[in-house]
Amino acid sequence: MFSDRLLQHLKNARSVAVLTGAGVSAESGVPTFRGEDGLWKKFKPEELASIDAFMANPDLVWEWYSERSRIIREKAPNSGHAALAEMESFFPEFTLITQNVDGFHRRAGSRNVLELHGNILFSRCVRCGVKSDKVESGMDRKDPLCACGGRMRPDVVWFGEPLPQDVLKKAFAASEICDVFLSIGTSAFVHPAATLPVVAKQAGAYVAEINSERTVLSDDLDETILGKSGEMLPRLVAELRNLIDRT
Ligand code: BJW
Ligand code: ZN
């Protein structure tokens, strides 16, 4: 199932970095973006997930985000999230970098989490930048306003927008110094997130991918483990626990 190389690298690792994507939450019932049942099959990113779309039709964009945040509130983290939360305790340094906006990693108990693309359960003012967790106001009033009069928008990162710089800096730093890097449940299409496994590899880390299918990065990584993260991650954690207990 897992190569001896991966297990030995993990056993000896001091620092581990993990990048997760929508695939990790798929088994919780949260749709992914790409692929047959992906969100982008039904909705065009430029019509709903861009600042231009938002400014042109905030009601429509809020409707979409309110519905998605409602689904996320109703769903729960799965066994893959739980396994990653447990894995954090195995290593002196463990950084969980996620592209996901659902907040599931923290809900599952992970502590050192870097959210690259924001969090759908929060909103922020386009004018003064103040944040709010009252995303529900997006449902009560479709175009909620900040106290300063600016428009509140979902606190996520749309295409063409910069990622939060402090978070991105920490993600690059963790990727550069880690001994093992795991890329899990991401198509690796979106940058700069997809650059992180490459940065880790170039810096000498052992880089493995766990995904339902091969990705654009697979050929450049040390190994790809094909399977569902909700099944593979608990198995990997169980094997690691055994290895660590035996030493
Ligand atoms: C399973 C599974 C199971 C299923 N188990 N696996 C370099 C090269 C080319 C382009 C660029 C570049 N640098 C920047 C760009 C432009 C752009 C970009 O990357 N474009 C490419 C798509 C071509 N990037 C940006 O615009 C970024 N901003 C930026 O770079 O700013 C620069 C700047 C600086 C200064 C000033 C101004 C600008 C921003 C990117 C923002 C991405 N936002 C979104 C939406 C978030 C909000 C929302 O939720 O609505 O983030 S897009 C969407 O894609 C979302 C995701 O986080 C992201 C990644 O998707 P992910 O997670 O990989 O999901 P999927 O669906 O693609 O893949 C799931 C995978 O899981 C699949 O492989 C399945 O097989 C697998 N799977 N079930 C395991 N159970
Ligand atoms: Zn404001």
Side-chain angles (χ1 to χ4, degrees):
M1 168 82 34
F2 304 107
S3 72
D4 286 342
R5 279 208 306 164
L6 174 61
L7 292 172
Q8 282 309 313
H9 277 284
L10 279 170
K11 189 182 161 214
N12 298 326
R14 206 191 74 78
S15 175
V16 171
V18 176
L19 172 70
T20 63
V24 165
S25 295
E27 288 154 271
S28 293
V30 178
T32 61
F33 292 91
R34 294 159 193 87
E36 273 315 300
D37 301 322
L39 290 168
W40 296 153
K41 275 264 165 183
K42 283 177 259 168
F43 307 101
K44 287 197 180 123
E46 61 274 21
E47 282 170 10
L48 284 171
S50 76
I51 189 66
D52 290 347
F54 178 70
M55 288 320 230
N57 197 344
D59 285 2
L60 178 72
V61 173
W62 262 120
E63 204 176 299
W64 193 57
Y65 278 91
S66 298
E67 173 60 11
R68 285 178 53 208
S69 56
R70 186 189 61 74
I71 292 171
I72 285 163
R73 278 173 214 280
E74 280 173 5
K75 307 287 182 188
N78 62 54
S79 49
H81 297 100
L84 287 171
E86 184 177 349
M87 213 190 264
E88 187 164 3
S89 66
F90 295 172
F91 305 100
E93 249 177 48
F94 186 88
T95 309
L96 209 176
I97 307 159
T98 188
Q99 300 169 82
N100 297 346
V101 297
D102 55 30
F104 280 180
H105 287 302
R106 281 188 222 277
R107 273 174 66 186
S110 285
R111 282 168 301 162
N112 194 19
V113 182
L114 299 175
E115 289 176 328
L116 292 178
H117 295 161
N119 190 313
I120 200 169
L121 303 179
F122 290 80
S123 56
R124 74 169 190 271
C125 174
V126 295
R127 187 185 290 170
C128 73
V130 73
K131 285 198 187 197
S132 165
D133 61 359
K134 299 277 181 298
V135 176
E136 298 96 310
S137 58
M139 293 176 228
D140 304 340
R141 190 167 178 273
K142 283 186 184 156
D143 183 12
L145 295 180
C146 173
C148 82
R151 236 173 215 154
M152 294 302 283
R153 58 164 281 180
D155 189 20
V156 297
V157 181
W158 286 322
F159 282 117
E161 295 186 325
L163 278 64
Q165 289 306 293
D166 51 335
V167 175
L168 188 61
K169 219 170 142 184
K170 285 182 190 164
F172 271 102
S175 307
E176 275 157 18
I177 59 137
C178 67
D179 303 304
V180 177
F181 188 104
L182 302 174
S183 178
I184 312 173
T186 176
S187 59
F189 272 124
V190 175
H191 290 267
T195 312
L196 298 170
V198 178
V199 163
K201 178 90 183 110
Q202 283 167 354
Y206 189 81
V207 185
E209 167 181 67
I210 301 177
N211 212 66
S212 312
E213 59 190 5
R214 287 181 68 79
T215 72
V216 286
L217 282 188
S218 302
D219 286 344
D220 300 324
L221 308 182
D222 290 301
E223 71 179 271
T224 295
I225 297 145
L226 291 176
K228 292 185 173 180
S229 52
E231 293 167 11
M232 294 303 173
L233 286 169
R235 285 186 209 174
L236 180 60
V237 165
E239 290 211 25
L240 262 178
R241 217 187 288 122
N242 277 342
L243 263 184
I244 292 167
D245 284 351
R246 269 194 264 131
T247 51

